[in-house]
Amino acid sequence: MSAAPTLKKALNQRQLTMIAIGGVIGAGLFVGSGVVIGDTGPGAFLTYGMAGVLIIMVMRMLAEMAVANPSTGSFADYSRNALGHWAGFSVGWLYWYFWVIVVGFEAIAGAKIIQYWMDVPLWLSALIFMVLMTATNLFSVASYGEFEFWFAGIKVAAIIAFIALGAAFVFGLWPDKSADFSNLTSHGGFMPLGFGVITVGIVTVIFSMVGAEIATIAAAESQDPERAVSKAANSVILRILLFYVGAVLLLVLIVPWNDENVAASPFVAAFTTMGIPYADHVMNAVVLTAVLSCLNSGMYTASRMLFVLAARREAPAALVKVTRRGVPANAILASSVVGFFCVIAAALSPDTIFAFLLNSSGAIILFVYLLIAISEIVLRYRTPDSELRVKMWLFPVLSVLTALGIVAILVQMFIDPALRSQLVLSLLSWGVVLLLFAANKWFVKKRPVRTDDTDRGPAGTPHRVLVLANQTVDSDELLAELNRIGADRDAQYLVVVPANPIDTGAAATHGPRDVTEATQEAAAARLEITLTALRGEAREVDGELGDYRPLRALADAVERFGPDQIVISTLPPELSVWQRFDVVDRARIQFDVPVTHVVAKSVESNKVPR
């Protein structure tokens, strides 16, 4: 059989580059920066610089782990490898929850911008945005990439235009304007509220920068994931310094920090001061684009994280199914449902349910970043330097300081009465995730091991044997059982391998775009191993790939083959999804044929649950 296929080209380098560039520019920069400036003073750019350093460190750690161990699961897998399954489960579900709430929030934010131009019900505009972005993601990966390319392009163009015009205004290259830096000190000083307030705004700033790590997820669907991740991590330094620190510095130089218009819309205030007409309409259009970009990326990111969770058997298996275009449709629809719920909650109960949803996700991204930092420290000590092509700077000092910095921000949230509820409710969300992990683990392990049920069948040796197996199809236990069945008389075998992306492991190593092809090849390779082994024993055997649902595959084969005996081979209970969902017992009820259950323990791949 041929080797596993390489990734197809779903996101080209042009799209991936713009996703990486635009991912760090959220709507929070255009709106939230005004709040930070008002709470901090002219020195607000220092707050953006401190938060930017933290994001840069996290991205560097991600790049080190991603290049050393490429994975479609991105940082969820790294936490799983470093700290255990609870950490991977936590990162995956917390990150998914964060982004589905963001999706709903951004839909509402976009609807409010529409109301600036026309009197349309908030819920209606938000609903339209949700439907459009869901459809975009459902169509194809390339359509997501193309939309995000143009959305991100508009954001980037607007920021670059502002920086160019703002720099000309500040440095005296503007008509009838001389160089002027007086706004840094002439309204109460550089830090009129004290230097202690620098850290207060970091929480807001961190959230406005979230999204840089999306490039590590999108890279799994590019031609060269390792290069894409490394490039995105390295370029994030320039992007944060230019788009955030540089832009905010220009804002406080152009407009006094205590100007009442700054808090409402700092970029509009700056353009108005510079005498540029229609600044409010232009910037509202840019902010709307930024909102739609965040909504589009949030839908994409949440669905891919669900796909990865399903591939690791930490979410329903149906979520790993992809369309012919390589899109995880079920994962997209499941994520969009939560977004639609947020829209409904904002319309019916904005001060209770919607506020609760927002607050319960407020600190989640910090939990995720903290687990990433700890995971990098653990994995770095386990990995020889010769295997690291990208390294975290000054390890372990900067890695430890980054983790401590995140903890300090969480402490700051607890101290600040306005942010304390977000921290507490986010901790509650994490607690719920850990309870779900424990429940899932208990459910998997509760079933007893049952190995042989031949006493249920009629006397005599069966001669038409239908075999259903996937991960254990080449196990010593299964081959021994099949040889035992055919020891006393001739037997005809039909081996059926369900082409399931989870059972074959393809979903753990391939993105949605090419998982179907990889699944077919992996299942066929396993089937061929078994057929070769049985034919080597002079057995009459045939084989086929079945439906990805094992009971459906079994039913189809029973109808065509007419077996006298069914043999179902599974992993031990703690590793077997088939046992978890009673595939063997349901087969006994469904078919009037003796069913033998073989529990295989000798398969090499069983050492790592998938």
Side-chain angles (χ1 to χ4, degrees), residues 93-153:
W93 279 109
L94 288 175
Y95 198 68
W96 173 82
Y97 181 63
F98 173 81
W99 277 108
V100 292
I101 298 300
V102 166
V103 164
F105 174 77
E106 296 295 342
I108 296 298
K112 289 181 178 179
I113 296 173
I114 292 296
Q115 287 186 329
Y116 180 82
W117 291 304
M118 59 186 72
D119 186 17
V120 179
L122 197 70
W123 65 267
L124 180 59
S125 298
L127 186 64
I128 292 173
F129 289 147
M130 284 292 304
V131 171
L132 288 176
M133 293 302 100
T134 301
T136 298
N137 278 268
L138 283 173
F139 185 71
S140 71
V141 179
S143 66
Y144 155 75
E146 196 61 26
F147 267 75
E148 190 57 23
F149 173 81
W150 291 106
F151 285 162

Side-chain angles (χ1 to χ4, degrees), residues 4-5 72 307 311-312 320 500-512 514-523 526 610:
T72 59
F307 175 87
R312 304 312 186 263
V320 85
N500 186 299
I502 300 176
D503 295 332
T504 58
T509 55
H510 292 74
D514 62 333
V515 70
T516 301
E517 180 183 342
T519 299
Q520 293 290 322
E521 292 210 10
R526 289 181 175 178
R610 289 184 309 209

Side-chain angles (χ1 to χ4, degrees), residues 57-67 74-75 78 213 216 229 233 369 372 376:
M57 295 299 105
V58 171
M59 281 296 293
R60 184 69 182 186
M61 288 188 282
L62 271 178
E64 177 187 286
M65 294 185 289
V67 173
S74 190
F75 38 85
Y78 306 138
E213 71 284 345
T216 67
V229 171
Y369 284 170
I372 289 173
E376 186 271 339

Side-chain angles (χ1 to χ4, degrees), residues 285-490:
V286 171
V287 174
L288 178 60
T289 302
V291 164
L292 294 180
S293 171
C294 193
L295 174 55
N296 191 37
S297 291
M299 189 77 72
Y300 172 86
T301 305
S303 65
R304 268 44 178 192
M305 192 56 76
L306 264 192
F307 175 87
V308 170
L309 286 165
R312 304 312 186 263
R313 292 180 168 167
E314 294 171 342
L319 296 173
V320 85
K321 187 178 180 181
V322 299
T323 66
R324 286 179 295 179
R325 294 179 179 269
V327 174
N330 290 345
I332 292 172
L333 292 173
S335 300
S336 66
V337 164
V338 181
F340 282 116
F341 177 75
C342 288
V343 171
I344 295 171
L348 300 180
S349 184
D351 298 325
T352 53
I353 298 176
F354 187 60
F356 171 81
L357 290 172
L358 288 179
N359 287 333
S360 65
S361 64
I364 280 178
I365 197 64
L366 292 173
F367 299 157
V368 171
Y369 284 170
L370 180 60
L371 287 173
I372 289 173
I374 297 173
S375 299
E376 186 271 339
I377 294 171
V378 173
L379 292 177
R380 177 66 175 268
Y381 279 117
R382 293 181 187 172
T383 309
D385 280 356
S386 59
E387 297 180 13
L388 296 174
R389 293 184 292 281
V390 174
K391 296 181 180 181
M392 178 63 178
W393 305 295
L394 297 177
F395 180 85
V397 176
L398 286 184
S399 296
V400 173
L401 287 178
T402 301
L404 292 177
I406 296 171
V407 172
I409 295 174
L410 293 172
V411 172
Q412 177 75 42
M413 292 184 70
F414 181 77
I415 294 174
D416 189 341
L419 299 175
R420 187 176 301 151
S421 63
Q422 292 187 28
L423 176 63
V424 172
L425 290 175
S426 296
L427 284 171
L428 178 62
S429 298
W430 195 355
V432 170
V433 168
L434 291 175
L435 285 175
L436 290 174
F437 172 77
N440 180 67
K441 188 175 181 181
W442 173 83
F443 184 70
V444 169
K445 287 187 173 181
K446 73 171 184 173
R447 292 191 56 80
V449 176
R450 299 173 60 183
T451 58
D452 195 353
D453 300 282
T454 53
D455 58 334
R456 290 174 51 105
T461 305
H463 60 86
R464 292 181 68 81
V465 183
L466 175 57
V467 182
L468 183 74
N470 193 302
Q471 289 165 289
T472 61
V473 74
D474 56 346
S475 67
D476 295 339
E477 290 87 351
L478 176 58
L479 294 176
E481 176 65 20
L482 297 183
N483 282 320
R484 185 192 67 78
I485 290 173
D488 299 330
R489 58 181 296 186
D490 292 336

